[in-house]
Amino acid sequence: MRILGIETSCDDTGAAIVEDGRILANIVAAQDIHLEYGGVVPELASRAHITLLPRVVQEALTTSKTTLDQIDGIAVTIGPGLLGSLLVGIEFTKGLALARDIPWVGVNHVEAHLVSAGLESTLEPPYIGMVASGGHTEIYHVPEPGIFHRVGSTRDDAAGEAFDKIGKIMGLPYPAGPYLDKLARGGNPTAVPLPRAKLKGDTLDFSMSGLKTAAKLFLEKEPKPIPDARLKDIAASVEKAITDVLIERLDQALTRYEARAVTVAGGCACNTLIREETTRVAAAKGIPARFPSPKLCRDNGAMIAHAGSFALRRGERTPFNASAIANLDSFTPLPATS
Ligand code: KG4
Ligand code: ZN
């Protein structure tokens, strides 16, 4: 089956062609307009998707030497995400599906991240998956294909948000995560004491906001300009604190639930220390750690095509009266398929 995957849930416009788990093209246009605002502006994101999506789809078709007649199905992100952005991808999909009589299905964006590593390596349930990006930081148990149980999540900031907000105070460009990662490589992770919040009760949830506030207070007191060596130590300490919070919960999830693998996806899955530490806790349990390559960590159409391919193969179809579900989670039933 040759599937067109469309992703417009946030500020990346993505389209991909995936055939039986093989990526033939995966085109992502990043929307630079948000850089000057230091964060995503929803209205601008929707407008940019309108302009970019037809071009990105065309490029995916050209790169993979695919004509519209060769498309067996379309998978599109139906939620969660920014309402206006989601609508652009969904209504574009409906138009194409209607004009060409192509089957289509709506896909849960978080579930697509959770299966994305399966495009490049073997990832078969049961497994534990963490999605860590600018918008989400959640841990899931995937007991069997198509079943996603959220077992823990952040109570406040997402991991990417913590990297970005602390990085901003350090004077790093937006998004700060990749810059902080690079700086941290030369630093001492024990140089700056930062808190790791402990939540009460039997929970795999976690919190990032105390850490962010502590880093902010600490940085305000730091003499300016901060010398390079000191900046590296701060970056390494911040990265270690964020990673410790995530890895403690990931490790607990691996102890609590049956898992033959662990996967981390989303932008923060590119982080050097998060990868190292995930690999370490997985090895201690005797299971592999699967990470998508950087291009598949961020939002992209290939993971949407891959996630949608299971439903399309089963013959499921999303009805034309279905629409975006901005706050969709893995316990919300997708619109009834026909
Ligand atoms: O998945 P993504 O591209 O977009 C969404 O948020 O949906 O994730 C972007 C986030 C940003 O917060 C960015 O700072 C973070 O991922 N990020 C990283 C790294 N690369 C991207 N954080 C830490 N280390 C990295 N190497
Ligand atoms: Zn995402």
Side-chain angles (χ1 to χ4, degrees), residues 48-70:
H49 284 307
I50 291 174
T51 333
L52 290 169
L53 186 57
R55 286 189 234 158
V56 168
V57 169
Q58 189 57 60
E59 197 180 332
L61 292 169
T62 310
T63 308
S64 61
K65 300 192 172 52
T66 301
T67 63
L68 284 176
D69 294 336
Q70 291 172 294

Side-chain angles (χ1 to χ4, degrees), residues 7 9-10 12 80 109-110 113 131-136 265-267 297-300 303:
E7 158 60 35
S9 68
C10 191
D12 288 315
H109 177 87
V110 174
H113 273 302
V131 178
S133 68
H136 306 275
C297 280
R298 60 186 282 206
D299 291 346
N300 65 87
M303 68 178 191

